[in-house]
Amino acid sequence: MIRKALVLFSGGQDSTTCLAWALTRFERVETIGFDYGQRHRIELDCRGVIRQEIASRFPQWAGKLGEDHLLDLSLIKHLGSSALTEDRAIEMQANGLPNTFVPARNLLFLTSAAALAYRRGLDALVGGMCETDYSGYPDCRDNTLKALQVALSLGLDAPMTVETPLMFLTKAQTWTLARQLGGAALVNLIVEHTHTCYLGERGKRFDWGYGCGACPACELRKNGWETYRQT
Ligand code: ZN
């Protein structure tokens, strides 16, 4: 059976590692990104560059890398604001979740991706959701995604596997996974071309890549990189 995957690809460190992971395991890999009125479009701009770099530096993967899809999910913006879509400071809310939380975002992403995958004849979704270093987003939890896999497979009446290779990895282990998948060339590509910073900063270059160096996303990436470098 030829397995074909659709990778939820935002242009960040995690989803780029997931893309490489899928390219080592599936015969055909397509990518999907979501435009939901993010404050910063820099991540979306990185996507094309990363795909091109992967195709040119990894000839063993180039032939498997299929189409890219960009889906308009601006409905997320209409459902209410968050610090990811509005110009607001990132802070904790009374319920213990940061105000970057967009309710049910991953459920919407995966359900939309499943519909597209079905149309495209792809039977697996690959996403970078992670329980380990996550900000407490309940839709990143392993059980949420396992339940969704069952719901999608039943609702489509077709197998739709939800793969989350980073689920139990720390950010340092995600760098190690990248090295195992594509060696130093992949680690360098991720440092140089992926974007994680919540503030959309790309002016300053650190060892671990570009960013403001101070927002929660930069902190996670920086700490993960420093631990990885010590191993
Ligand atoms: Zn930042």
mmCIF file of all heavy atoms in Angstrom, residues 197-199 211-215 217-218, ligand 1:
data_model
loop_
_atom_site.group_PDB
_atom_site.id
_atom_site.type_symbol
_atom_site.label_atom_id
_atom_site.label_comp_id
_atom_site.label_asym_id
_atom_site.label_seq_id
_atom_site.Cartn_x
_atom_site.Cartn_y
_atom_site.Cartn_z
ATOM 1 N N CYS A 197 9.115 33.104 16.002
ATOM 2 C CA CYS A 197 8.855 34.276 16.863
ATOM 3 C C CYS A 197 7.411 34.769 16.750
ATOM 4 O O CYS A 197 6.903 35.000 15.658
ATOM 5 C CB CYS A 197 9.814 35.391 16.481
ATOM 6 S SG CYS A 197 9.545 36.917 17.373
ATOM 7 N N TYR A 198 6.770 34.947 17.918
ATOM 8 C CA TYR A 198 5.396 35.453 17.960
ATOM 9 C C TYR A 198 5.297 36.881 17.430
ATOM 10 O O TYR A 198 4.249 37.312 16.974
ATOM 11 C CB TYR A 198 4.882 35.476 19.409
ATOM 12 C CG TYR A 198 4.307 34.177 19.913
ATOM 13 C CD1 TYR A 198 4.426 33.831 21.257
ATOM 14 C CD2 TYR A 198 3.608 33.314 19.078
ATOM 15 C CE1 TYR A 198 3.887 32.656 21.749
ATOM 16 C CE2 TYR A 198 3.075 32.138 19.560
ATOM 17 C CZ TYR A 198 3.210 31.808 20.894
ATOM 18 O OH TYR A 198 2.670 30.651 21.383
ATOM 19 N N LEU A 199 6.380 37.640 17.574
ATOM 20 C CA LEU A 199 6.327 39.052 17.182
ATOM 21 C C LEU A 199 6.674 39.269 15.716
ATOM 22 O O LEU A 199 6.656 40.392 15.233
ATOM 23 C CB LEU A 199 7.259 39.883 18.076
ATOM 24 C CG LEU A 199 6.976 39.778 19.579
ATOM 25 C CD1 LEU A 199 7.895 40.676 20.368
ATOM 26 C CD2 LEU A 199 5.517 40.115 19.890
ATOM 27 N N GLY A 211 14.646 36.038 15.312
ATOM 28 C CA GLY A 211 13.524 36.285 16.218
ATOM 29 C C GLY A 211 13.814 37.478 17.098
ATOM 30 O O GLY A 211 14.866 38.113 16.973
ATOM 31 N N CYS A 212 12.865 37.770 17.999
ATOM 32 C CA CYS A 212 13.057 38.893 18.921
ATOM 33 C C CYS A 212 13.950 38.468 20.079
ATOM 34 O O CYS A 212 14.588 39.292 20.720
ATOM 35 C CB CYS A 212 11.708 39.400 19.420
ATOM 36 S SG CYS A 212 10.891 38.307 20.613
ATOM 37 N N GLY A 213 13.955 37.157 20.371
ATOM 38 C CA GLY A 213 14.796 36.642 21.445
ATOM 39 C C GLY A 213 14.137 36.688 22.814
ATOM 40 O O GLY A 213 14.712 36.208 23.787
ATOM 41 N N ALA A 214 12.947 37.266 22.914
ATOM 42 C CA ALA A 214 12.354 37.461 24.240
ATOM 43 C C ALA A 214 10.919 36.938 24.384
ATOM 44 O O ALA A 214 10.471 36.710 25.497
ATOM 45 C CB ALA A 214 12.379 38.940 24.593
ATOM 46 N N CYS A 215 10.198 36.745 23.292
ATOM 47 C CA CYS A 215 8.803 36.298 23.417
ATOM 48 C C CYS A 215 8.783 34.811 23.819
ATOM 49 O O CYS A 215 9.803 34.138 23.719
ATOM 50 C CB CYS A 215 8.050 36.530 22.101
ATOM 51 S SG CYS A 215 8.448 35.351 20.808
ATOM 52 N N ALA A 217 7.733 32.178 22.387
ATOM 53 C CA ALA A 217 8.126 31.249 21.312
ATOM 54 C C ALA A 217 9.642 31.276 21.104
ATOM 55 O O ALA A 217 10.270 30.226 20.903
ATOM 56 C CB ALA A 217 7.392 31.606 20.020
ATOM 57 N N CYS A 218 10.234 32.463 21.155
ATOM 58 C CA CYS A 218 11.697 32.576 21.023
ATOM 59 C C CYS A 218 12.396 31.920 22.210
ATOM 60 O O CYS A 218 13.410 31.245 22.048
ATOM 61 C CB CYS A 218 12.126 34.038 20.927
ATOM 62 S SG CYS A 218 11.877 34.770 19.292
HETATM 63 ZN ZN ZN B 1 10.162 36.322 19.497
#
